Amino acid sequence: MAPPTDTADTLLHELRDEVRQHYPSGRVIIGVDGVDGAGKTRFAEALARVFAEDGSAVFTASIDDFHRPRAERYARGRDSPQGFYLDSYDDGAFRRLLIEPFRSRSGPFRTAAFDLDRDEPVTAEAQDAPADAVLIVDGIFLHRPELRGIWNWSLWLHVPASIAAARLAERDGADPDPEAESNARYRGGQALYAREADPRTAASAIVDNSFPDAPVRIFGDFC
């Protein structure tokens, strides 16, 4: 990955400094939330590099590595928005294998439990961390009620639906029209999430990531 531009680098350092004002030491867990195509993984990796500049131990993970099996994800139907929102992820495994041991320092933690492409469980390498460490998790639906209390600090990445759809079309071959019928499951699931969880309000900060080389922090009810 190319290094961040000056604009992106400045924002990343400002966000890191904000977190450190509240959490100068100890175990810190950060969530990077947003719709598919928002640029969450790239942003999380860039933020991790900035945290590591002062020698901090930094770990990254994705909720995508804690999916449920395909049969469970599609139990409500392959086109079901409710299934997308409610059944995609194994919150129990996410908490048990990653969040709880990391936060409590009760033992090694694992950053993955499921291989989505192969549709089967995996046993990720067990990792440990020093007493002062940062864990940055990216993914969708990170502010749903079941997970909201996990984060010490969290971020919502805003992008217009048209930009997110264009990115998914390039990455996954999806239809670039966000209103296309083939996108209804995902569009509807995100709408359910927005109504139930209001992630823009729940997040500690909102960043417009329409242009990844020039992300902009936004405030109030811009979204």
Side-chain angles (χ1 to χ4, degrees):
M1 177 188 293
T5 63
D6 289 344
T7 300
D9 191 61
T10 297
L11 177 61
L12 289 164
H13 280 84
E14 289 174 352
L15 295 174
R16 179 204 62 187
D17 292 346
E18 180 176 314
V19 175
R20 283 307 191 193
Q21 286 177 4
H22 298 282
Y23 303 99
S25 60
R27 296 278 180 96
V28 181
I29 305 178
I30 296 171
V32 179
D33 193 4
V35 301
D36 281 316
K40 301 178 294 298
T41 299
R42 176 179 172 181
F43 199 96
E45 291 173 349
L47 188 61
R49 288 197 298 272
V50 170
F51 268 96
E53 287 177 354
D54 63 1
S56 296
V58 185
F59 301 84
T60 59
S62 176
I63 195 73
D64 282 342
D65 293 317
F66 291 88
H67 268 91
R68 292 182 178 181
R70 184 178 294 118
E72 296 180 18
R73 299 198 310 273
Y74 294 115
R76 300 173 197 256
R78 293 192 65 85
D79 298 325
S80 170
Q82 292 85 358
F84 179 52
Y85 175 42
L86 298 173
D87 302 331
S88 287
Y89 299 105
D90 187 341
D91 294 338
F94 179 64
R95 285 179 173 274
R96 183 178 69 256
L97 297 175
L98 176 58
I99 298 301
E100 291 173 2
F102 182 88
R103 170 177 285 147
S104 66
R105 291 182 282 176
S106 59
F109 56 90
R110 301 179 189 273
T111 58
F114 197 81
D115 186 315
L116 182 63
D117 293 332
R118 297 171 62 182
D119 193 41
E120 62 183 29
V122 296
T123 301
E125 177 185 0
Q127 301 183 66
D128 208 343
D132 298 330
V134 177
L135 171 64
I136 302 178
V137 180
D138 72 80
I140 62 173
F141 304 151
L142 295 188
H143 290 95
R144 60 190 186 276
E146 297 83 356
L147 299 181
R148 184 172 292 188
I150 283 175
W151 318 111
N152 296 109
W153 191 92
S154 62
L155 180 68
W156 173 262
L157 288 187
H158 166 77
V159 295
S162 59
I163 291 179
R167 291 175 182 172
L168 291 176
E170 181 178 355
R171 188 188 75 187
D172 301 332
D175 193 312
D177 179 3
E179 298 300 319
E181 184 62 29
S182 59
N183 292 326
R185 170 180 169 89
Y186 312 106
R187 183 176 65 248
Q190 288 290 349
L192 289 171
Y193 175 49
R195 289 196 296 271
E196 179 181 60
D198 193 7
R200 295 171 178 84
T201 299
S204 307
I206 303 172
V207 169
D208 188 328
N209 201 41
S210 300
F211 302 97
D213 290 336
V216 178
R217 184 166 184 179
I218 54 181
F219 298 88
D221 58 359
F222 172 88
C223 297

